[in-house]
Coordinates of all heavy atoms in Angstrom, one line a residue:
T24 N -5.5 0.6 8.0 CA -4.1 0.9 7.4 C -4.1 0.9 5.8 O -3.1 1.1 5.3 CB -3.2 -0.2 7.9 OG1 -3.8 -1.5 7.9 CG2 -2.7 0.1 9.3
I25 N -5.3 0.6 5.2 CA -5.4 0.9 3.7 C -6.6 1.7 3.5 O -7.7 1.4 3.8 CB -5.4 -0.6 3.0 CG1 -4.4 -1.5 3.4 CG2 -5.4 -0.3 1.5 CD1 -4.6 -2.4 4.6
V26 N -6.4 2.8 2.8 CA -7.5 3.7 2.5 C -7.8 3.8 0.9 O -6.9 4.0 0.1 CB -7.2 5.2 2.9 CG1 -8.3 6.1 2.7 CG2 -6.9 5.2 4.4
L27 N -9.0 3.3 0.6 CA -9.4 3.4 -0.7 C -10.1 4.8 -0.9 O -11.2 5.0 -0.4 CB -10.4 2.2 -1.0 CG -11.1 2.1 -2.3 CD1 -10.2 2.0 -3.5 CD2 -12.1 0.9 -2.3
I28 N -9.5 5.6 -1.8 CA -9.9 7.0 -1.9 C -9.8 7.5 -3.4 O -9.1 6.9 -4.3 CB -8.8 7.8 -1.0 CG1 -9.2 9.2 -0.8 CG2 -7.4 7.7 -1.6 CD1 -8.4 10.0 0.1
N29 N -10.6 8.5 -3.6 CA -10.7 9.1 -5.0 C -9.9 10.2 -5.2 O -10.1 11.0 -6.1 CB -12.2 9.3 -5.5 CG -12.8 10.3 -4.5 OD1 -12.2 10.5 -3.4 ND2 -13.9 10.7 -4.8
K30 N -8.7 10.4 -4.6 CA -7.8 11.5 -4.8 C -6.5 11.2 -4.4 O -6.2 10.4 -3.4 CB -8.3 12.7 -4.0 CG -7.4 13.9 -4.2 CD -8.0 15.2 -3.5 CE -7.1 16.5 -3.8 NZ -7.6 17.6 -2.9
K31 N -5.4 11.6 -5.1 CA -4.0 11.4 -4.8 C -3.8 12.4 -3.5 O -3.8 13.5 -3.7 CB -3.1 11.6 -5.9 CG -3.2 10.5 -7.0 CD -2.3 10.6 -8.0 CE -2.4 9.6 -9.1 NZ -1.5 9.7 -10.2
V32 N -3.5 11.8 -2.4 CA -3.1 12.6 -1.2 C -1.9 12.1 -0.5 O -1.4 11.0 -0.9 CB -4.3 12.5 -0.2 CG1 -5.6 13.2 -0.7 CG2 -4.5 11.1 0.3
A33 N -1.3 12.7 0.4 CA -0.1 12.3 1.0 C -0.5 11.2 1.9 O -1.5 11.1 2.6 CB 0.5 13.4 2.0
C34 N 0.3 10.0 1.8 CA 0.1 8.8 2.5 C 0.6 8.8 3.9 O 1.7 9.1 4.1 CB 0.6 7.6 1.8 SG 0.3 6.0 2.5
P35 N -0.3 8.6 4.9 CA 0.1 8.7 6.3 C 1.2 7.5 6.5 O 1.2 6.6 5.9 CB -1.1 8.3 7.1 CG -2.2 8.8 6.2 CD -1.8 8.4 4.9
E36 N 2.1 7.8 7.5 CA 3.2 6.9 7.8 C 2.6 5.6 8.3 O 1.6 5.5 9.1 CB 4.1 7.4 8.9 CG 5.3 6.5 9.2 CD 6.2 7.2 10.2 OE1 6.1 8.4 10.5 OE2 7.2 6.5 10.6
G37 N 3.1 4.4 7.7 CA 2.6 3.1 8.2 C 1.3 2.7 7.5 O 0.8 1.7 7.9
K38 N 0.9 3.4 6.6 CA -0.3 3.1 5.8 C -0.2 3.0 4.3 O 1.0 3.2 3.9 CB -1.4 4.2 6.2 CG -1.9 4.2 7.6 CD -3.1 4.9 7.9 CE -3.4 4.8 9.4 NZ -4.8 5.5 9.6
A39 N -1.1 2.6 3.6 CA -1.1 2.5 2.1 C -2.4 3.1 1.6 O -3.5 3.1 2.2 CB -0.8 1.0 1.8
L40 N -2.3 3.4 0.2 CA -3.5 4.0 -0.4 C -3.8 3.1 -1.7 O -2.9 2.6 -2.3 CB -3.1 5.5 -0.8 CG -2.8 6.4 0.2 CD1 -2.6 7.8 -0.4 CD2 -3.9 6.6 1.2
L41 N -5.1 3.0 -2.0 CA -5.6 2.6 -3.2 C -6.3 3.7 -3.9 O -7.3 4.3 -3.4 CB -6.5 1.4 -2.9 CG -5.9 0.1 -2.5 CD1 -6.9 -0.8 -1.8 CD2 -5.2 -0.7 -3.5
I42 N -5.8 4.2 -5.1 CA -6.4 5.3 -5.7 C -7.4 4.8 -6.8 O -7.0 4.1 -7.7 CB -5.3 6.1 -6.4 CG1 -4.1 6.5 -5.4 CG2 -5.9 7.5 -6.9 CD1 -4.5 7.2 -4.1
S43 N -8.7 5.3 -6.6 CA -9.7 4.9 -7.4 C -10.6 5.9 -7.9 O -10.8 6.9 -7.1 CB -10.6 3.9 -6.6 OG -11.8 3.6 -7.2
E44 N -11.1 5.9 -9.1 CA -12.0 7.0 -9.5 C -13.4 6.8 -8.9 O -14.2 7.7 -8.8 CB -12.2 6.9 -11.0 CG -12.7 5.7 -11.6 CD -13.0 5.7 -13.1 OE1 -12.3 6.5 -13.7 OE2 -13.8 4.9 -13.6
D45 N -13.7 5.5 -8.4 CA -15.0 5.3 -7.7 C -14.8 4.4 -6.6 O -15.1 3.1 -6.7 CB -15.9 4.8 -8.8 CG -17.4 4.8 -8.3 OD1 -17.6 4.8 -7.1 OD2 -18.3 4.8 -9.1
P46 N -14.5 4.8 -5.4 CA -14.2 3.9 -4.2 C -15.5 3.1 -3.8 O -15.4 1.9 -3.4 CB -13.8 4.9 -3.0 CG -13.2 6.0 -3.8 CD -14.0 6.2 -5.0
F47 N -16.7 3.7 -4.0 CA -17.8 3.0 -3.6 C -18.0 1.7 -4.5 O -18.3 0.6 -4.0 CB -19.2 3.9 -3.8 CG -20.5 3.4 -3.4 CD1 -20.9 3.8 -2.1 CD2 -21.2 2.6 -4.1 CE1 -22.1 3.4 -1.7 CE2 -22.4 2.1 -3.6 CZ -22.8 2.5 -2.5
R48 N -17.9 1.9 -5.8 CA -17.9 0.8 -6.8 C -16.9 -0.2 -6.5 O -17.2 -1.5 -6.5 CB -17.7 1.4 -8.2 CG -17.7 0.3 -9.2 CD -17.0 0.9 -10.5 NE -15.6 1.1 -10.2 CZ -14.8 1.9 -10.9 NH1 -15.3 2.6 -12.0 NH2 -13.6 2.1 -10.6
D49 N -15.6 0.2 -6.1 CA -14.5 -0.8 -6.0 C -14.7 -1.5 -4.6 O -14.3 -2.7 -4.5 CB -13.2 -0.1 -6.2 CG -13.0 0.3 -7.6 OD1 -13.5 -0.4 -8.4 OD2 -12.0 1.3 -7.8
F50 N -15.3 -0.8 -3.7 CA -15.6 -1.6 -2.3 C -16.5 -2.6 -2.7 O -16.5 -3.8 -2.1 CB -16.1 -0.6 -1.3 CG -16.0 -1.0 0.1 CD1 -14.8 -0.9 0.7 CD2 -17.1 -1.5 0.9 CE1 -14.6 -1.3 2.0 CE2 -17.0 -1.8 2.1 CZ -15.7 -1.7 2.8
N51 N -17.6 -2.4 -3.5 CA -18.5 -3.5 -3.9 C -17.9 -4.6 -4.6 O -18.1 -5.8 -4.4 CB -19.6 -2.8 -4.7 CG -20.8 -2.2 -4.0 OD1 -20.9 -2.6 -2.7 ND2 -21.6 -1.4 -4.5
T52 N -16.9 -4.2 -5.5 CA -16.1 -5.2 -6.3 C -15.4 -6.1 -5.3 O -15.5 -7.4 -5.5 CB -15.2 -4.6 -7.2 OG1 -15.9 -3.7 -8.2 CG2 -14.4 -5.6 -8.0
L53 N -14.9 -5.7 -4.3 CA -14.1 -6.5 -3.3 C -15.1 -7.3 -2.4 O -14.8 -8.5 -2.1 CB -13.3 -5.6 -2.3 CG -12.2 -4.9 -3.0 CD1 -11.5 -3.9 -2.0 CD2 -11.1 -5.9 -3.3
T54 N -16.2 -6.8 -2.1 CA -17.3 -7.6 -1.3 C -17.8 -8.7 -2.1 O -17.8 -9.9 -1.8 CB -18.4 -6.7 -1.0 OG1 -18.0 -5.6 -0.1 CG2 -19.5 -7.6 -0.2
N55 N -18.0 -8.4 -3.5 CA -18.5 -9.6 -4.4 C -17.4 -10.6 -4.6 O -17.6 -11.8 -4.8 CB -18.8 -9.0 -5.8 CG -20.3 -8.5 -5.8 OD1 -21.1 -9.1 -5.1 ND2 -20.5 -7.5 -6.4
F56 N -16.0 -10.2 -4.5 CA -14.9 -11.0 -4.7 C -14.8 -12.0 -3.5 O -14.6 -13.2 -3.7 CB -13.7 -10.3 -4.9 CG -12.4 -11.1 -5.2 CD1 -12.1 -11.4 -6.5 CD2 -11.5 -11.6 -4.2 CE1 -10.9 -12.3 -6.8 CE2 -10.5 -12.4 -4.4 CZ -10.2 -12.7 -5.8
F57 N -14.8 -11.4 -2.3 CA -14.6 -12.3 -1.1 C -15.7 -12.8 -0.5 O -15.7 -13.8 0.2 CB -13.9 -11.4 -0.1 CG -12.4 -11.0 -0.5 CD1 -12.2 -9.6 -0.9 CD2 -11.4 -11.9 -0.4 CE1 -10.8 -9.4 -1.2 CE2 -10.2 -11.6 -0.7 CZ -9.8 -10.3 -1.2
K58 N -17.0 -12.2 -0.8 CA -18.2 -12.9 -0.3 C -19.3 -12.9 -1.4 O -20.3 -12.2 -1.3 CB -18.8 -12.1 0.9 CG -18.2 -12.4 2.3 CD -18.9 -13.6 2.9 CE -18.6 -13.9 4.3 NZ -19.1 -12.8 5.3
P59 N -19.1 -13.6 -2.4 CA -19.9 -13.7 -3.6 C -21.3 -14.4 -3.2 O -21.3 -15.3 -2.3 CB -19.3 -14.5 -4.6 CG -18.3 -15.4 -3.9 CD -17.9 -14.6 -2.6
F60 N -22.4 -13.9 -3.7 CA -23.6 -14.6 -3.5 C -23.7 -16.0 -4.1 O -23.3 -16.2 -5.1 CB -24.9 -13.9 -4.1 CG -26.1 -14.5 -4.0 CD1 -26.9 -14.5 -2.9 CD2 -26.7 -15.1 -5.1 CE1 -28.0 -15.2 -2.7 CE2 -27.9 -15.8 -4.9 CZ -28.6 -15.9 -3.8

């Protein structure tokens, strides 16, 4: 229900978007935040 994406697109009903220039990098940022070594 939340899509981390590198382009502004129409948001599907009932969902949310996170607009990022680098989703791969930011997915890693979230992993490090919630499951740090």
Side-chain angles (χ1 to χ4, degrees):
T24 42
I25 305 94
V26 181
L27 177 59
I28 189 170
N29 58 346
K30 184 180 179 181
K31 292 184 178 180
V32 296
C34 184
E36 185 177 352
K38 298 193 178 187
L40 303 178
L41 292 161
I42 311 299
S43 164
E44 64 179 17
D45 193 336
F47 188 99
R48 175 201 65 200
D49 289 340
F50 201 75
N51 275 344
T52 299
L53 290 172
T54 300
N55 277 328
F56 183 88
F57 289 105
K58 272 280 187 75
F60 174 76

